[in-house]
Amino acid sequence: MASLPPRARKVPFDRVHHGDTVSDPYEWLRDKEDPEVVAYLEAENAYTEEATAHLAGLRQEIFDEIKGRTQETDLSVPVRDGGYWYYTRTAEGSQYGVHCRAPIASADDWTPPSIEPGAPIDGEQVVLDDNEQAAGHEFYSLGSFDVSPDGRMLAYAVDVVGDERYTLRIRDLDTGEDLLDEVADTFPGAVFSGDGESVYYPTVDDAWRPDTIWQHRVGTAGGDDQVVFTEPDERFWVGVGLTRSRRYLEIAVGSKITSEVLLLDTENPEAGFQVVWPRREGVEYAVEHAVVGGRDRLLVLHNDGALNFELVAVDPAHPLETASWETVIAHDEAVRLEDVDAFAGHLTVDYRRDGLTRIAMLPLEADTTSLAGASFTELEFDEPLFSVGTSGNPEWEQPTIRFGYTSFVTPSSVFDHDITTGTSTLLKQQAVLGGYDPAAYEQRREWATAADGTRVPVSLVARRGVLDAGEPAPMVLYGYGSYESSIDPGFSVARLSLVDRGVAFAIAHVRGGGELGRHWYEDGKTLTKKNTFSDFVSAAERMIELGFTAPSTLVAQGGSAGGLLMGAVANLAPQLFAGILAQVPFVDALTSILDPSLPLTVIEWDEWGDPLHDPEVYAYMKSYSPYENVTEQEYPRILAVTSLNDTRVLYVEPAKWTARLRDVGAPVLLKTEMSAGHGGVSGRYERWREVSYEYAWTLDVLGRSR
């Protein structure tokens, strides 16, 4: 006989804001140092394990499928940086990668060497072995990883707890030994200075906000480090980097809606860091250094009067002098500009149009004197759905552009594009073992109509014929819809274990994301946040209306802010779903955003609104926050997955939510990883087991567990 589910005891606790009193009897679960809290989480884990014990065989089967389709001994495509090709090897049986490098053949060697998985090449050197770093730890994450310009030193930082506090170290790559330099409690993003004599790195405040940039002199103790910049405004994050040209050291300061960039000219360091454009509320911008016709220019991608951003070139000496500005790419309501990269001989831009990512290029000829109205050439692809973006391009002088491409049916692929000839060369495509045939699958886009008439795109992939079989198919509908983050079509080896069992996978591109431009984001945040939830419901209804699925064969899935979406639709339309998978779910949103002492809360006010000081925002958030809106109704099966050391969405949110759902008889399970962070467990095999667990539960809900 199955055990009864754990029931958390109730401790009276009232929260009062704007004259409104909220009773929160499970707030006591917030103290993770309390043995009773730990015991409760462990009891929930034991109950969940018992309730899913019948799926143990299926979990192992799915794990074996993922493992069997994955080329475990593999390596990434080498990337040239300075005098070396850098790449990462993975080996069968190893949880983590090994970072390696090999010397270039000559200064004009731009063709990545052909390297066989598992077979070293001449001159190969191990830069960092993540398996050695992770030994003896249940969790491991590599944060910073940067090699000095002369290739002699490595700055790297690791977290072995999951709380995103990284210890920074410096390694002498000639000897393979770490120096005595060691700095605790850093944030990812450390970089070497242009001369390699210093490392700049960020640290966080008590709210886990990266707020300070430090300068560390290589070969000195961490206690002697100097503060370079501190941002007092709690809404802003800071980061540090070096332009590709290595001319400027850059400090980027940004909130959700406002940004500021400071540059240090390495040819005139005595002048110190200079602000490019002083921050103005609501204006976001990013800066890239280019050399055009022998002149230094700053390429500024900004949204000042340009909702979807425009690109202008300005004079580094007088960046605010508008008379000298050149509009490189004008604002376009149909095109969301996202990134620009400058090289010695060309420019590239990443953007999205019609809900899909795009890239385009512009050669810089020797006689180019102006970028005004420049004509970029877009790369074209023949699939209806795809994702593409530039990556792995550190070298200023390189004559090619590295880009990645994937779709629901095309495994992740890496190309080099020759700017001169206009040809793209496939360097590597993700291997899928066991005879994968992309022709056996189909992808398509459908459109749902929201309550206000807005058309919401839905991207789908399934075995060919499943969607047109004339009867409802089991389906997973995924959603996120926050922070202007776009969930683009991409290939997944693990997902084949669902799709090959006849399950269709769909992404609802709901408002709050960035798929259709900045307005898509603006229409799903703060006081329009409910559009995110109703869009997802409309997408589910459309999938049912088209006959692709039915409420009895539909599972909703989302994580983090997408977990908020899951909690909201569980309350809003439980009748549409057989199950809801909520991963590290942000389901106690109002409580968190009311407390400025919690990690990241003040920063989040630009995304959700400020319920602490604004009664309208308070009332609006209270009306949708999942925890406050659990009611007596029939809920679908729910699995909530969280991590004890998560600093972004605290474990207490799904713990409290689960307890309140139990009060109304909801069939809910809570699974807490006791040694992991926001990203879940570490190590590829452990991640595969985590995915296998979630997929087995999903298939059980969908009636496909046998």
Side-chain angles (χ1 to χ4, degrees):
M1 181 176 179
S3 302
L4 293 174
R7 299 301 293 265
R9 67 184 177 91
K10 296 184 178 182
V11 177
F13 178 83
D14 288 340
R15 187 181 72 221
V16 182
H17 290 90
H18 307 296
D20 180 58
T21 300
V22 173
S23 177
D24 189 353
Y26 299 119
E27 176 62 17
W28 67 274
L29 290 169
R30 187 173 300 278
D31 183 6
K32 73 176 185 178
E33 303 302 324
D34 184 346
E36 185 179 356
V37 172
V38 175
Y40 171 73
L41 296 176
E42 290 176 340
E44 286 283 5
N45 280 347
Y47 175 72
T48 297
E49 182 57 36
E50 181 182 1
T52 60
H54 65 291
L55 300 175
L58 179 59
R59 291 199 293 262
Q60 186 62 46
E61 185 179 324
I62 294 172
F63 176 85
D64 290 341
E65 290 170 2
I66 298 172
K67 190 173 184 292
R69 292 189 179 108
T70 302
Q71 184 167 307
E72 297 181 67
T73 299
D74 203 357
L75 74 160
S76 63
V77 177
V79 172
R80 177 172 160 172
D81 190 3
Y84 296 89
W85 292 101
Y86 289 84
Y87 49 95
T88 301
R89 290 187 179 275
T90 56
E92 183 174 358
S94 296
Q95 291 272 22
Y96 304 96
V98 179
H99 306 275
C100 304
R101 70 180 184 182
I104 61 174
S106 63
D108 58 356
D109 174 20
W110 295 102
T111 302
S114 177
I115 308 174
E116 293 299 322
I121 64 172
D122 290 342
E124 181 175 87
Q125 177 187 10
V126 172
V127 176
L128 186 72
D129 187 339
D130 286 337
N131 299 286
E132 291 181 358
Q133 297 294 318
H137 301 288
E138 293 185 33
F139 179 89
Y140 171 79
S141 173
L142 177 65
S144 303
F145 184 94
D146 191 54
V147 177
S148 60
D150 62 7
R152 293 185 57 248
M153 299 287 178
L154 168 71
Y156 71 100
V158 302
D159 166 22
V160 294
V161 176
D163 62 0
E164 300 184 44
R165 301 272 187 158
Y166 293 79
T167 298
L168 175 67
R169 297 183 176 90
I170 310 294
R171 174 164 295 185
D172 184 329
L173 294 180
D174 288 338
T175 66
E177 300 294 327
D178 288 345
L179 305 181
L180 296 179
D181 310 49
E182 184 172 303
V183 186
D185 295 333
T186 71
F187 195 74
V191 296
F192 276 98
S193 59
D195 60 12
E197 295 182 0
S198 297
V199 172
Y200 291 84
Y201 64 89
T203 58
V204 299
D205 62 12
D206 291 339
W208 247 262
R209 172 183 70 99
D211 70 325
T212 301
I213 302 299
W214 299 75
Q215 181 184 19
H216 171 82
R217 294 287 182 181
V218 175
T220 65
D224 298 329
D225 293 355
Q226 301 295 311
V227 172
V228 174
F229 178 86
T230 296
E231 173 54 54
D233 192 325
E234 294 179 302
R235 298 175 302 158
F236 288 79
W237 284 35
V238 301
V240 62
L242 195 65
T243 60
R244 182 176 288 103
S245 64
R246 295 180 176 165
R247 171 71 182 271
Y248 294 97
L249 190 70
E250 174 183 326
I251 293 177
V253 186
S255 72
K256 301 291 184 184
I257 61 172
T258 306
S259 57
E260 184 175 67
V261 175
L262 299 87
L263 296 180
L264 176 70
D265 188 344
T266 59
E267 294 185 2
N268 184 25
E270 296 78 13
F273 282 92
Q274 302 294 314
V275 173
V276 178
W277 289 357
R279 71 185 69 173
R280 287 167 48 207
E281 190 75 8
V283 175
E284 301 167 66
Y285 72 94
V287 175
E288 176 81 334
H289 173 234
V291 177
V292 182
R295 288 191 306 158
D296 289 310
R297 304 292 279 169
L298 297 182
L299 303 179
V300 182
L301 191 64
H302 73 92
N303 70 339
D304 187 9
L307 184 65
N308 271 340
F309 289 72
E310 71 175 5
L311 182 64
V312 298
V314 307
D315 182 351
H318 306 285
L320 290 172
E321 190 177 276
T322 57
S324 65
W325 289 8
E326 296 174 339
T327 299
V328 185
I329 302 178
H331 176 257
D332 187 334
E333 293 182 356
V335 176
R336 168 63 163 98
L337 297 179
E338 295 191 328
D339 194 21
V340 59
D341 285 303
F343 302 82
H346 52 272
L347 307 179
T348 68
V349 289
D350 289 57
Y351 52 99
R352 57 178 60 246
R353 186 183 68 248
D354 299 330
L356 296 175
T357 51
R358 321 274 178 165
I359 56 176
M361 293 139 188
L362 173 73
L364 294 177
E365 307 296 345
D367 59 354
T368 301
T369 58
S370 171
L371 293 176
S375 180
F376 287 76
T377 300
E378 179 178 296
L379 297 189
E380 297 182 356
F381 306 96
D382 59 6
E383 291 189 272
L385 300 175
F386 59 85
S387 300
V388 65
T390 56
S391 63
N393 295 292
E395 281 289 274
W396 175 247
E397 297 286 348
Q398 68 186 66
T400 58
I401 287 298
R402 178 75 53 84
F403 69 88
Y405 176 91
T406 185
S407 76
F408 276 139
V409 300
T410 300
S412 297
S413 307
V414 177
F415 292 84
D416 267 355
H417 181 82
D418 189 301
I419 299 296
T420 303
T421 65
T423 59
S424 296
T425 302
L426 176 65
L427 302 178
K428 182 181 179 66
Q429 187 172 85
Q430 177 186 6
V432 184
L433 307 182
Y436 172 72
D437 178 10
Y441 306 84
E442 65 169 325
Q443 56 180 348
R444 65 174 70 172
R445 173 159 287 174
E446 299 288 348
W447 295 83
T449 302
D452 62 1
T454 300
R455 298 180 74 233
V456 179
V458 182
S459 299
L460 301 100
V461 63
R463 292 282 300 190
R464 192 167 295 279
V466 166
L467 296 175
D468 300 317
E471 59 183 31
M475 176 181 286
V476 172
L477 182 63
Y478 185 90
Y480 187 77
S482 291
Y483 304 110
E484 202 180 0
S485 294
S486 301
I487 309 300
D488 294 313
F491 186 79
S492 167
V493 164
R495 191 190 300 136
L496 293 175
S497 290
L498 288 180
V499 177
D500 283 352
R501 286 176 170 84
V503 178
F505 180 82
I507 299 171
H509 303 287
V510 296
R511 282 175 282 185
E515 287 89 342
L516 294 181
R518 174 51 68 92
H519 79 92
W520 202 247
Y521 169 52
E522 298 287 350
D523 290 346
K525 61 180 291 194
T526 57
L527 295 177
T528 61
K529 188 62 199 172
K530 290 183 182 179
N531 286 336
T532 303
F533 317 137
S534 57
D535 282 0
F536 192 86
V537 170
S538 296
E541 291 173 336
R542 181 58 174 163
M543 296 300 97
I544 295 167
E545 177 188 347
L546 289 170
F548 292 163
T549 191
S552 61
T553 58
L554 180 58
V555 167
Q557 178 184 351
S560 195
L564 165 66
L565 171 59
M566 295 300 100
V569 300
N571 293 329
L572 188 63
Q575 74 282 357
L576 292 179
F577 307 98
I580 293 178
L581 173 57
Q583 301 153 304
V584 290
F586 184 45
V587 284
D588 192 17
L590 182 57
T591 303
S592 294
I593 300 302
L594 277 168
D595 188 351
S597 71
L598 291 178
L600 310 181
T601 288
V602 175
I603 294 171
E604 296 289 328
W605 284 347
D606 285 333
E607 177 76 18
W608 310 99
D610 177 4
L612 183 62
H613 302 102
D614 189 330
E616 181 184 11
V617 172
Y618 174 88
Y620 188 78
M621 288 194 70
K622 186 183 178 185
S623 72
Y624 71 70
S625 184
Y627 180 60
E628 279 81 3
N629 289 282
V630 171
T631 59
E632 293 275 358
Q633 61 179 327
E634 187 173 344
Y635 283 91
R637 291 168 62 180
I638 297 173
L639 173 61
V641 179
T642 187
S643 298
L644 185 65
N645 295 326
D646 192 340
T647 58
R648 297 179 183 269
V649 178
L650 303 184
Y651 74 91
V652 68
E653 298 204 23
K656 289 170 59 177
W657 183 52
T658 297
R660 182 158 280 179
L661 283 167
R662 287 262 168 73
D663 286 343
V664 298
V668 58
L669 299 175
L670 174 65
K671 183 175 184 287
T672 304
E673 295 293 342
M674 303 303 282
S675 58
H678 190 62
V681 296
S682 65
R684 57 176 175 169
Y685 295 112
E686 294 308 309
R687 285 196 297 271
W688 294 349
R689 292 201 182 280
E690 184 176 57
V691 170
S692 299
Y693 189 99
E694 294 170 357
Y695 279 5
W697 179 87
T698 298
L699 289 166
D700 191 47
V701 172
L702 294 173
R704 295 295 178 105
S705 58
R706 291 182 175 83

